[in-house]
Amino acid sequence: MDKRRIGSLQVSPIGLGCMSMSHGYGPADEPTSIKLLNEALDVGYDFLDTATMYGGGKNEELLAKALKTRRHEYVLASKCALFKKDGKPTIDGRPETIRQQCEASLQRLQTDVIDLYYLHRLDPNVPIEESVGTLADLVKAGKIREVGLSEVSSDTLRRANAVHSIAAVQSEYSLWSRLPEIQMLKTCEEFDTTFVAFSPLARQFLTGKAQDATHYGDGDIRTNNARPRFEPEAFAKNIQLLEPLKDIAVQLKCTTGQLGLAWLMAQANSQGNKTLVSIPGTKHIEFMRENIGATQVQLNDSLRDEIGALLHEDMVIGARYAQGQMKVMDSERDRD
């Protein structure tokens, strides 16, 4: 499998988002998750993404429990500054908080170093220079190898890079969420920063297996923060956008989900960013195996462009997040 670069690190073009095994999509079965994580390494995943926020640290503990003896087989990414306090999501990018959370993550992960450590969200009360300066100190101390940012604007990336090189920017990117195309992909190219796409399958939408919000429980983000596009009336119209992609998937002998991931891999050269990695998340072993299979789907430039025109954010009904969630985002359109 071809490798893609994140700073000094080398990873496969499709990594594994681990959030849903502890957070965001309802309860998960721990024995199944442990089996999934091990099988993921066996079938070719070598980039695993977790965070302090996911399950209040439980996701990091899960990775350590499942893969402690296999730590050398994968690149490990985690995140700081976003967590729950008194049951409410809190953003705190102060230096002392970042240092404390890094130490706690290292203990939960049972590792000496985190390969890629992101500022999970920009703290509007703390200059990005202070937060990144602290992350740079953690690099010098050997606690982390590379610095990343999540859900930030191009302006923030520029300011951060003046303090320390940023190896990766993570944000939502898929056929139905094109925000990074406004400016971020070009800015990443300018600074030799890898773009890491989360929710590349549009929260299961692109697989054709998703349902409207009424089918999910309270612990599922499609019933709250990510609800707008899954509202019954909006979803009934949005799901029709998949029909032309189904025909292409049949021709290529792949699933619509694999087609969406293959489109993202092909975007690395078309959007001014030569290094782009996606991290589809799942708590289901069969979906994990299906997702990595997308690396076998090849798209030429013409077909890539055709797919991108068949399903585009401008066609989708509903915002990607509820209004309250949008207010904490630091990105070109989301902050307007």
Side-chain angles (χ1 to χ4, degrees), residues 106-181:
L106 287 167
Q107 292 181 22
R108 288 191 294 264
L109 289 161
Q110 298 182 42
T111 187
D112 295 327
V113 61
I114 298 170
D115 299 310
L116 173 61
Y117 200 49
Y118 294 92
L119 186 74
H120 205 160
R121 291 290 186 274
L122 175 68
D123 186 340
N125 300 311
V126 179
I128 187 63
E129 291 83 356
E130 288 188 22
S131 297
V132 171
T134 304
L135 293 170
D137 290 340
L138 292 172
V139 172
K140 294 176 183 177
K143 304 287 186 180
I144 66 177
R145 290 197 170 96
E146 298 288 353
V147 176
L149 303 176
S150 178
E151 291 281 29
V152 297
S153 67
S154 292
D155 289 345
T156 298
L157 176 57
R158 291 179 185 280
R159 290 171 56 192
N161 256 292
V163 178
H164 189 277
S165 60
I166 304 300
V169 165
Q170 182 178 141
S171 190
E172 182 174 354
Y173 187 32
S174 69
L175 281 166
W176 85 344
S177 290
R178 305 291 191 90
L179 180 65
E181 294 177 5

Side-chain angles (χ1 to χ4, degrees), residues 191-228:
F191 289 105
D192 198 25
T193 297
T194 298
F195 187 88
V196 179
F198 75 74
S199 293
L201 292 173
R203 298 181 177 85
Q204 203 182 34
F205 174 82
L206 291 177
T207 69
K209 303 180 181 78
Q211 298 175 294
D212 69 55
T214 62
H215 291 82
Y216 301 112
D218 292 338
D220 194 298
I221 63 174
R222 289 166 292 191
T223 68
N224 44 69
N225 287 341
R227 185 180 179 105

